[in-house]
Amino acid sequence: MLLPVLLSYSGFTALCLSMDRHHRDLLARTPTARVRRLLQLCGWALLGLSLAAAVLATGWSLGLVEWCAALMASAMLLVWLLPYRPRLVMRLAALGLLFSPLVALALG
Amino acid sequence: MKEGFRQAMAWLHTWTGLIFGWILFAIFLTGTLSYFNDEISHWMQPEVPVRQVSSEASLTLAQRYLQQHAAGAGRWVISLPSARDPGLSVSWQMPGNEGRRGPREQRQLDPLSGEVLQVRDTRGGDFFYRFHYQLQMPHPWGRWLSTSAAMLMLVALITGIITHKKIFKDFFTFRPRKGQRSWLDGHNAVGVLVLPFHLMITYSSLVIFMYMVMPASILVAYQGDTDSFFSELFPASESPKAQGQPGQLLALAPFVERAREHWGGGQVNLVTVSHPGDVKATVNVMRSSADRVMYEFGNAVAFDGVSGAFLTADPARPTPIAIAGSFYGLHLGHFAGPTLRWLYFICGLAGTAMIGTGLVIWLGKRQLKHAKSGVMPFELRLVEVLNIASMAGLLIAVATFFCANRLLPVSLAERGEWEVNSFFIAWGLSLVHALVRRGRAAWVEQLALAAGLFCAVPLLDALGSEQSLRVLLAQGDWARLGFDLTCLGSGVFLAWAAFKMRRAGQLGGKAPARTARVISKVEVN
Amino acid sequence: MKSLPVSYRLAVTSRVLAALFGGYLLAALASICMSLWLPMARAEAVVSGMMTSFLVYLVAVLWCFASRSAWQAWFGLLLPGLVLAAFGGLGYGLGQS
């Protein structure tokens, strides 16, 4: 459960940053079209990796359920933190990205 | 025409949301609590200890007890301890007069010693579970009402999606401290972000009762013979009848391992024995529904109780029936481990909050128009009273139910029923209170009362407990401790909510003009 | 809040009735058709029909409120209803022979 959540949280943060309004709130600058596209790509890729992580760990039936749960939980966390603790949002995403490969290796 | 369509859907969303909102709030809240029904039941029967014993060991104890006290019974049912339900219970039915079944007897045993436990009479978490689809109404009206509510919930969800113009643009948007705008953002957030859960839970609830509410196809395809439909759907293996000759029942514990071998793993929660003293005794070992996502009705392995021979096993289901079973399984969430179960709970609370915020927004928008005159038209006052009673009042009732479990004397007759009565009495009183008090005051007072009652729950548990905290920690009774902590947390949250409500009321004057402008912008979305 | 004209209220009531009862009827007819025509075992076809019928009910309800008039709501249900009833009758007849 941990790995899918870390990956989906980072993915959603990337997708969030790809939006002008939120990019300005979090990073105090307007993103160029290239940056926006890159963030979108990364975001969707991370969400896809999150699905892979869930399915590889517990098979398709339980994996899909866990993936949906990870998506919903990480999205709720992100949206709740965004207006109150924007810097924490970024830090958690960074930590998530940092720890995911380690967690993936640990789980084998 | 496009504008017309969205507006029509917005109208539909608003009215289905309002009319069924109060019932749906109650269904969602009690349904959400049901995800922890075993844990709630365990908390409500603190006499049952948590023991670390194997299925085989407790099964052996159960068999010994039944052989001593229920040798002539027609059927034994043994419910083994599981991760979520530490109780070992046995029940049996003696053959009654004229071939009819006699009364059913049930005992709770200590899984370690096999001794009978004196456990207080209570409906436990099962009360919330049954309430959320039966609504305390006589059969089958409650189910019809809850299923109709589910259909309208589906309409409300889909019309909500259609109406929400900026569903992708506003995906991550939540702007607190902006009055009605924040409430709408919140409503959208718990709606959109948790949409997979909401859609799943609503559609699966329709599938669960589809045999009852949509029987047309059964009646036409089977020309009224519903029995043959159900027997084709769930091919029930007929248990051999009693032969009338005595037979020696084998030890039950090894059957568990043999069943597990057949399934290639899995857990066993239920073992039944038909005609235990007879030479044609049959042992049914039922697989726990927690083993897989798809819920299977009666996935059991049957053995001959005297010879030990393998009799039958339930076959694999064809695809459409597997799909229906998956809807069932996803809704019930039996397969969920602790983390996933908490997520189910959180998503359920999100759904409850979605409905609640919707009701508050519905009223808030229209209340502003009458803010200056101070007098509310009858319809709005009605909605206000129902909002308070169905939300804050329900929370008071839930907390009262738990407090009653610890306060009512253990020896009271019909104790379980009186716990339920206290739930409804508290709910009814909250309705009266909401009628008598002015809107904001009623909210603050009821939320504060709910907060107090929820905080009282762990106190009552600690005060009346036979086991000390150290013993509970040593036993690993996380269900009971987790329950106490969750109640405490809920109490703190409700106290915060009451405080915010009160402060908002005190700052009342400044808000209306600004929010009125926001509201007119927010009219369709 | 000004009082709404009676014609409006009647139109809304008509749409509500169409959605509630007409929608249910349409869903039931759809489930019957599916249970008779789907190429699978009888019990499986019945289950598939029942599960899908709720989607039909949903679409019918949305139609009843999206249509330009209450009359259009009813007609929009009537036409598919007759088609489904015809197919259902055909399926039932074929099954009998």
Side-chain angles (χ1 to χ4, degrees):
Chain A
M1 200 65 204
L2 180 62
L3 188 56
V5 172
L6 290 175
L7 289 168
S8 63
Y9 178 83
S10 310
F12 273 128
T13 310
L15 287 173
C16 178
L17 281 170
S18 77
M19 294 181 180
D20 286 353
R21 182 204 300 168
H22 298 298
H23 197 109
R24 272 185 290 233
D25 288 339
L26 286 167
L27 294 174
R29 53 170 181 270
T30 315
T32 63
R34 209 165 136 258
V35 167
R36 246 188 287 137
R37 212 159 296 149
L38 185 66
L39 283 167
Q40 276 178 356
L41 199 69
C42 288
W44 286 109
L46 283 165
L47 291 184
L49 281 173
S50 167
L51 171 62
V55 172
L56 284 170
T58 50
W60 274 104
S61 109
L62 194 57
L64 273 171
V65 176
E66 286 202 350
W67 182 61
C68 286
L71 288 178
M72 293 188 283
S74 52
M76 276 196 279
L77 180 64
L78 174 60
V79 174
W80 182 49
L81 285 177
L82 208 48
Y84 296 113
R85 296 273 182 275
R87 271 182 301 214
L88 181 59
V89 166
M90 302 294 289
R91 283 194 205 124
L92 282 177
L95 282 173
L97 281 175
L98 201 66
F99 279 111
S100 325
L102 298 172
V103 174
L105 281 171
L107 292 172
Chain B
M1 190 56 197
K2 260 288 187 171
E3 266 305 285
F5 176 66
R6 239 201 195 107
Q7 270 191 350
M9 296 296 104
W11 183 94
L12 191 55
H13 179 82
T14 307
W15 287 104
T16 50
L18 180 74
I19 293 173
F20 278 83
W22 302 299
I23 297 177
L24 284 167
F25 186 91
I27 292 175
F28 261 76
L29 186 63
T30 48
T32 304
L33 288 172
S34 303
Y35 282 123
F36 285 118
N37 64 347
D38 282 349
E39 286 81 357
I40 294 174
S41 296
H42 173 65
W43 185 89
M44 293 180 81
Q45 290 185 318
E47 297 86 0
V48 178
V50 177
R51 303 265 190 241
Q52 311 297 337
V53 276
S54 68
S55 302
E56 284 85 351
S58 35
L59 185 55
T60 311
L61 285 172
Q63 181 174 14
R64 195 190 311 154
Y65 180 85
L66 285 168
Q67 251 153 355
Q68 283 175 353
H69 297 91
R75 192 158 176 259
W76 291 346
V77 179
I78 303 164
S79 177
L80 297 171
S82 69
R84 294 185 59 218
D85 180 7
L88 169 66
S89 77
V90 295
S91 77
W92 66 91
Q93 220 157 10
M94 302 300 271
N97 308 325
E98 296 147 24
R100 286 158 88 232
R101 286 193 225 145
R104 210 165 140 258
E105 297 272 346
Q106 192 185 17
R107 301 279 184 276
Q108 283 266 49
L109 303 178
D110 185 321
L112 202 60
S113 65
E115 282 177 20
V116 178
L117 295 167
Q118 294 304 327
V119 183
R120 70 185 68 190
D121 173 36
T122 179
R123 294 269 303 273
D126 219 48
F127 166 65
F128 295 123
Y129 173 59
R130 294 199 189 278
F131 179 85
H132 99 281
Y133 63 85
Q134 282 178 174
L135 300 172
Q136 208 71 11
M137 290 171 77
H139 184 84
W141 305 109
R143 290 166 199 231
W144 271 101
L145 183 57
S146 63
T147 312
S148 310
M151 187 65 216
L152 285 149
M153 176 82 194
L154 186 64
V155 172
L157 280 170
I158 302 300
T159 51
I161 295 170
I162 295 171
T163 309
H164 194 22
K165 256 189 288 196
K166 296 189 255 175
I167 195 168
F168 293 111
K169 263 181 103 185
D170 278 358
F171 191 82
F172 298 104
T173 305
F174 175 58
R175 291 160 288 199
R177 295 180 279 255
K178 284 195 160 74
Q180 284 284 318
R181 177 80 254 181
S182 302
W183 281 96
L184 190 56
D185 277 353
H187 178 74
N188 291 341
V190 282
V192 173
L193 299 175
V194 193
L195 203 52
F197 173 81
H198 301 322
L199 289 171
M200 178 280 291
I201 212 78
T202 308
Y203 208 84
S204 59
S205 65
L206 293 170
V207 171
I208 289 173
F209 283 128
M210 67 183 180
Y211 306 107
M212 184 185 79
V213 297
M214 194 64 74
S217 48
I218 307 175
L219 296 171
V220 171
Y222 284 82
Q223 285 145 25
D225 186 5
T226 51
D227 282 341
S228 62
F229 167 68
F230 284 110
S231 58
E232 273 181 38
L233 198 64
F234 308 123
S237 38
E238 282 291 318
S239 247
K241 285 197 170 48
Q243 195 155 331
Q245 285 177 344
Q248 179 63 22
L249 184 68
L250 291 172
L252 293 174
F255 286 119
V256 168
E257 190 49 48
R258 289 179 59 193
R260 280 214 201 99
E261 261 176 45
H262 175 85
W263 295 321
Q267 298 161 42
V268 174
N269 271 5
L270 204 70
V271 175
T272 67
V273 184
S274 306
H275 324 298
D278 193 272
V279 72
K280 278 282 179 202
T282 317
V283 177
N284 283 289
V285 183
M286 247 153 295
R287 190 168 184 179
S288 163
S289 56
D291 272 353
R292 45 207 303 215
V293 175
M294 182 180 100
Y295 188 89
E296 287 191 89
F297 296 90
N299 187 2
V301 183
F303 300 96
D304 185 306
V306 173
S307 69
F310 175 90
L311 288 178
T312 56
D314 286 312
R317 309 280 182 213
T319 311
I321 295 166
I323 295 175
S326 298
F327 270 118
Y328 225 99
L330 282 171
H331 189 103
L332 292 174
H334 282 180
F335 65 91
T339 318
L340 208 48
R341 187 163 293 276
W342 270 105
L343 285 173
Y344 257 105
F345 185 73
I346 290 168
C347 289
L349 287 178
T352 315
M354 172 179 65
I355 297 166
T357 48
L359 287 168
V360 168
I361 292 168
W362 192 100
L363 185 63
K365 262 203 219 181
R366 288 157 185 78
Q367 254 180 331
L368 282 168
K369 296 181 194 162
H370 301 269
K372 286 181 200 140
S373 64
V375 174
M376 262 202 281
F378 171 72
E379 315 90 70
L380 294 190
R381 176 67 185 144
L382 178 66
V383 170
E384 185 178 56
V385 167
L386 286 172
N387 277 4
I388 299 167
S390 70
M391 294 195 261
L394 180 58
L395 290 166
I396 291 174
V398 169
T400 308
F401 183 69
F402 296 142
C403 290
N405 174 266
R406 287 295 192 262
L407 289 172
L408 289 176
V410 180
S411 54
L412 180 68
E414 302 284 308
R415 202 180 166 282
E417 287 313 304
W418 273 106
E419 285 175 357
V420 174
N421 292 341
S422 59
F423 175 89
F424 287 106
I425 291 169
W427 205 0
L429 287 174
S430 76
L431 178 63
V432 173
H433 177 263
L435 280 165
V436 168
R437 298 288 281 155
R438 293 197 65 192
R440 193 168 289 278
W443 270 114
V444 175
E445 287 158 16
Q446 290 205 14
L447 286 172
L449 178 60
L453 287 169
F454 271 109
C455 288
V457 168
L459 282 172
L460 287 172
D461 188 19
L463 285 172
S465 176
E466 286 191 359
Q467 303 102 318
S468 72
L469 182 63
R470 200 183 311 159
V471 171
L472 290 177
L473 284 170
Q475 277 186 350
D477 198 347
W478 308 120
R480 189 163 161 187
L481 294 169
F483 180 94
D484 284 331
L485 279 172
T486 311
C487 281
L488 188 62
S490 311
V492 168
F493 171 74
L494 289 168
W496 172 85
F499 176 70
K500 290 289 271 198
M501 257 286 190
R502 193 155 159 268
R503 264 213 353 171
Q506 286 163 344
L507 298 169
K510 294 185 200 158
R514 231 174 122 236
T515 27
R517 264 183 281 129
V518 179
I519 294 308
S520 49
K521 264 193 242 162
V522 146
E523 207 52 44
V524 172
N525 177 14
Chain C
M1 262 184 4
K2 276 189 244 158
S3 184
L4 296 156
V6 179
S7 59
Y8 174 82
R9 289 196 192 277
L10 278 175
V12 169
T13 312
S14 176
R15 288 183 195 249
V16 169
L17 291 172
L20 277 178
F21 298 108
Y24 180 84
L25 207 61
L26 200 69
L29 284 170
S31 73
I32 291 171
C33 267
M34 278 189 271
S35 66
L36 293 173
W37 284 99
L38 281 173
M40 43 180 88
R42 200 164 40 152
E44 298 169 41
V46 168
V47 167
S48 305
M50 278 194 283
M51 284 195 290
T52 323
S53 69
F54 299 113
L55 286 173
V56 176
Y57 202 163
L58 173 70
V59 174
V61 171
L62 294 183
W63 161 255
C64 285
F65 290 94
S67 63
R68 250 173 295 189
S69 71
W71 284 113
Q72 208 186 41
W74 284 102
F75 280 130
L77 295 180
L78 196 65
L79 207 63
L82 287 173
V83 172
L84 287 171
F87 267 107
L90 185 67
Y92 187 73
L94 288 173
Q96 291 290 72
S97 59

